[in-house]
């Protein structure tokens, strides 16, 4: 396992503890997070959500910071959000992302009614590769010009991912069944578990590298990345 730095949407972790949890079937991480909300410095107890395991569906996927879940009768207004007063929040309506809203008076008004939704601070999840190391017949091609001809992303229970190419300065989008942001959540695409091939418009470069970034609020698990050069 590798260490990683996590940005909690601007929050600062002041204390943490890991405790066993029979309910979650995994250890649970509790954190005291300091945030600036509506101009005030506050401290919240936040809990890392359980792993998005195989038995869970779209609506269970929680990939937002400082979030709460609403489950109940159909409504277009979600209250009880005073802890995010003045913040722009991401809304996941049964797995589909709604248009972001600003919390005012501890509540938000949605474009579509919900019965099951997560509301919280959105963040991207991303991975950036190192320069590929090529060694053939005892010779290193590290400093030679290289061109990426094909990408194969093996993803698991994923809804969307962007691929950015440093050598072009533009992004190539891996085409998965993605629901457009702000669209009515009447039919959320199935989670993708497959190998997705993309042919980028890459040019020759001494050290090409790639960055993969998830759609905010949606699950993204990368199992393998194959780069043909």
């Amino acid at each position: 396992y590798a260490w990683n730095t996590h940005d909690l949407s601007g929050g600062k972790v002041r204390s943490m503890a890991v405790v066993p949890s029979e309910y979650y079937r995994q250890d649970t991480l509790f954190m005291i997070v300091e945030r600036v909300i509506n101009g005030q410095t506050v401290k919240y107890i936040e809990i890392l959500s359980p792993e998005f395991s195989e038995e869970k569906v779209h609506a269970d996927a929680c990939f937002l910071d400082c979030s709460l879940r609403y489950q109940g009768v159909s409504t277009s207004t979600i209250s009880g959000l005073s802890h995010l007063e003045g913040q722009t929040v991401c809304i996941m309506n049964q797995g589909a992302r709604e248009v972001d809203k600003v919390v005012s008076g501890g509540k938000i008004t949605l474009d579509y009614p919900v019965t099951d939704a997560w509301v919280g601070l959105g963040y991207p999840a991303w991975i950036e590769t190192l320069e590929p190391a090529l060694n053939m017949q005892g010779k290193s091609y590290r400093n030679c010009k290289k061109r990426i001809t094909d990408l194969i992303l093996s993803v698991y229970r994923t809804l969307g991912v962007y691929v950015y190419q440093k050598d072009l300065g533009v992004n190539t989008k891996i085409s998965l069944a993605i629901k457009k942001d702000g669209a009515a959540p009447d039919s959320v695409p199935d989670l993708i578990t497959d190998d997705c091939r993309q042919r980028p418009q890459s040019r020759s470069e001494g050290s090409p590298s790639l960055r993969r970034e998830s759609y905010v609020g949606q699950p993204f698990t990368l199992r393998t990345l194959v780069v043909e050069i």
Side-chain angles (χ1 to χ4, degrees):
Y1 293 92
W3 290 94
N4 189 52
T5 300
H6 297 272
D7 181 356
L8 301 186
S9 300
K12 298 178 181 178
V13 177
R14 295 306 187 189
S15 182
M16 63 172 61
V18 178
V19 299
S21 172
E22 182 179 354
Y23 175 75
Y24 285 147
R25 294 186 300 172
Q26 66 185 59
D27 292 345
T28 304
L29 173 64
F30 288 79
M31 297 174 288
I32 295 179
V33 181
E34 182 180 281
R35 298 184 180 277
V36 178
I37 303 294
N38 201 29
Q40 301 294 318
T41 300
V42 297
K43 291 184 175 71
Y44 295 149
I45 297 177
E46 302 186 23
I47 305 172
L48 185 65
S49 60
E51 181 182 353
F52 184 52
S53 53
E54 289 187 4
E55 65 269 18
K56 295 185 177 182
V57 297
H58 294 72
D60 296 322
C62 177
F63 294 98
L64 301 173
D65 280 337
C66 202
S67 61
L68 290 178
R69 188 176 189 177
Y70 171 81
Q71 290 179 295
V73 298
S74 180
T75 181
S76 294
T77 301
I78 297 180
S79 56
L81 299 174
S82 59
H83 69 294
L84 291 173
E85 183 69 24
Q87 302 297 301
T88 299
V89 293
C90 176
I91 304 102
M92 300 305 298
N93 185 347
Q94 294 184 342
R97 184 179 176 185
E98 276 218 31
V99 175
D100 293 352
K101 301 294 182 181
V102 176
V103 178
S104 178
K107 61 184 179 181
I108 54 174
T109 300
L110 308 177
D111 295 338
Y112 302 98
V114 300
T115 58
D116 191 345
W118 288 95
V119 180
L121 303 174
Y123 61 87
W126 56 270
I127 306 169
E128 187 169 319
T129 64
L130 299 173
E131 176 189 350
L134 300 179
N135 294 280
M136 293 179 288
Q137 297 179 346
K139 182 179 178 181
S140 173
Y141 290 85
R142 180 178 179 85
N143 296 321
C144 295
K145 287 188 175 182
K146 295 173 281 289
R147 182 169 62 86
I148 298 173
T149 57
D150 276 288
L151 300 174
I152 303 174
L153 274 75
S154 178
V155 295
Y156 174 72
R157 306 195 79 216
T158 292
L159 273 180
V161 55
Y162 285 111
V163 174
Y164 296 88
Q165 297 169 231
K166 269 194 168 183
D167 58 345
L168 289 178
V170 296
N171 70 77
T172 297
K173 182 178 174 182
I174 300 298
S175 181
L176 300 180
I178 306 302
K179 191 161 192 66
K180 190 175 181 181
D181 288 355
D186 51 357
S187 60
V188 182
D190 292 333
L191 295 166
I192 302 295
T193 298
D194 203 354
D195 292 344
C196 304
R197 178 182 287 269
Q198 180 75 27
R199 178 161 292 178
Q201 297 176 347
S202 181
R203 64 184 179 218
S204 296
E205 189 73 25
S207 56
S209 62
L210 300 166
R211 173 185 169 113
R212 269 97 44 228
E213 185 171 310
S214 71
Y215 280 53
V216 172
Q218 296 180 331
F220 164 42
T221 299
L222 178 65
R223 299 184 297 189
T224 307
L225 171 67
V226 177
V227 181
E228 295 181 1
I229 297 178

